[in-house]
Amino acid sequence: MIPKTFDTVSSAHLSLETTINIYPPASDAIRLSLDILSFLKQNGLDARELLKLPAVRLRVVDDTRPLRDYFVSSSHNTYLLAWQVLGRASSKCYTHVLSKNARCVEIDVWWSSKGPIVTHGHTLSRSVTFKAVCEAIDEAIRDEDWPVIISLECHVPITHQGELVDIMKDTWRNKLVQEPLEGVGGDSISPRDLKGKILLMVEYYPDAYCEEISADSEALYHDSCTSIEHDEISELHYEIDPVLNMANHTHTKIADSLADLGFYARSMKPIKHWLTEELPSPPYPQNILMNINESCMLSMLPHSLSELIEHSLHRIRRIYPRGVRLSSSNLDPLKQWRNGSQIVCLNWQNFDYGMQLNEAMFAGTPGWVEKPRRLTGAEHNVKLTCNVVGISSLPRPKEHTEFTPYVHAELFNSSKNQDWQSEHIKCKDVPEDGVDVTWNGCFEWQFEEDDLTFIRLRVLCHRGLLRDEEMLVFCARLHDLEEGWRFIHLLSMDGRRTGATLLVRFTISGI
């Protein structure tokens, strides 16, 4: 099926309200079931006071560490409202993701008869002007904001790159870092030094340039996991930009005036021995950042994990999705964070597993989070116990007055993933405003302590022989969970608040 494209950024695919469990809404607006109220009364708990408590604690982030010591919330193909191949570009997408504290966004800029435009080249995506994108970014960045990294994918001929430079300088003015900061070494520059600033990531192509291990252009037509048939694309009648210069760009040479703006982030694709070479300056530019395809990184795991972690102590890596993700599905960011990669780019058009983890990592933060001191190994084991009582105001599936919901809990841990399911409760004659369900279930997990352990709770609808339907979700980093009795505000599968609350109790103890 070919998806609809969305004319506005209010599209459900782009709405994320994950901070609701850090900053709970007014308790007067929440309806609780009679069973939940009775349970709380029996246990001496005040419902209204409990509703005021956050389920996830607010994380305070140190802003004085070197840039390489952080994970950065990052958006891939930021300009697209829908699928990569079929989507519409909009400058408002930048306003949206930056308002949600994405701190690395991507601009694919091409040259056309109308000047520089932003689009997904060689696809059916529709364009927006480069100037409009720059203006949207400028309006979204405030003086107190943590730095924003702009990944500029330049497909503009060198003769026209001066126009890009002029537009960025004129639009972003003193927000754009245009030269090295005085008195701060490039190796020690921190987010505090760059508050309210824009760092431009500019490509660098060494003379001995080597193609990446995985060739996306070839994989596009040969990967069996492709989620859209090519016949569907060829039969689609879709208006594309007829003035775009679609010349084949293996890579575009970078003008000196543009390269100078990327002093703190020169983006380079992997070359031979990139993992072990120091890349000294000269002959390489200062502040080389490795820009690596997801497939390339996965091919190095797990055998090169220790080398990748060591590499990340000295150099920033940006990981972007493989090209066959035509429906804008997401890679697993946890695999990349665990190898030390700082900038893991996700398609914010989908609130799937990848984006749920990303929100769990960054919700309530400035978009930069300190990397754990320890990425592998554990000091001791821990035990997580969770009581799942029940849900209030569970929305019913569309056009269904009868369904069978259950809770599926998952633990994502470096040593061992674990999961649990509640019993299935059949609900009949469900009104439009939803239903209350009581499970009174409990699970207990033991595992090695890991700073990058996450927990996810989903409510699913059992479909018999069909694939069960995801209905609601909650995801959090284990270290951010508040212990004790809490109401979890569950989100829809497009990241919106639903009014549904799940009463749980988390208990974490050492073993």
Side-chain angles (χ1 to χ4, degrees), residues 70-71 274 292-301 305 308-309 312 317-322 325 330-346 353 357 361 371-372 375 452:
Y70 295 86
F71 295 131
W274 68 270
I292 310 174
N293 175 274
E294 163 197 4
S295 300
C296 173
M297 290 297 292
L298 293 178
S299 71
M300 302 175 70
L301 296 171
L305 177 59
L308 287 166
I309 291 175
S312 72
R317 290 196 300 267
R318 174 184 182 265
I319 313 301
Y320 61 92
R322 65 182 189 269
R325 294 185 179 275
N330 279 304
L331 55 81
D332 181 351
L334 195 47
K335 290 182 179 178
Q336 307 302 337
W337 293 330
R338 285 176 178 157
N339 67 51
S341 297
Q342 296 90 341
I343 302 175
V344 183
C345 303
L346 299 178
Y353 165 76
L357 285 176
M361 174 69 84
K371 288 168 55 178
L375 289 172
L452 292 177

Side-chain angles (χ1 to χ4, degrees), residues 13 22 44-45 64 99 202 246 288 308 311 327 354 376 388 419 442 447:
H13 289 278
I22 301 175
L45 299 170
T64 63
S99 73
V202 180
M246 298 299 288
I288 286 287
L308 287 166
H311 178 270
S327 62
T376 59
V388 179
D419 73 334
C442 180
F447 49 92

Side-chain angles (χ1 to χ4, degrees), residues 406-469:
Y406 65 95
V407 177
H408 184 206
E410 299 164 279
L411 182 83
F412 306 113
N413 177 263
S414 60
S415 59
K416 181 183 179 182
N417 292 342
Q418 302 185 53
D419 73 334
W420 169 86
Q421 283 190 22
S422 71
E423 65 175 314
H424 295 197
I425 304 293
K426 192 166 187 176
C427 302
K428 297 181 178 180
D429 302 321
V430 178
E432 289 187 6
D433 58 356
V435 68
D436 304 323
V437 183
T438 301
W439 286 287
N440 280 325
C442 180
F443 61 87
E444 182 178 288
W445 293 326
Q446 296 183 18
F447 49 92
E448 295 180 354
E449 185 184 36
D450 177 355
D451 287 340
L452 292 177
T453 294
F454 290 78
I455 184 172
R456 180 170 69 165
L457 303 177
R458 288 181 296 162
V459 177
L460 294 96
C461 176
H462 181 59
R463 293 296 191 195
L465 297 178
L466 300 176
R467 183 177 180 180
D468 290 353
E469 177 186 348

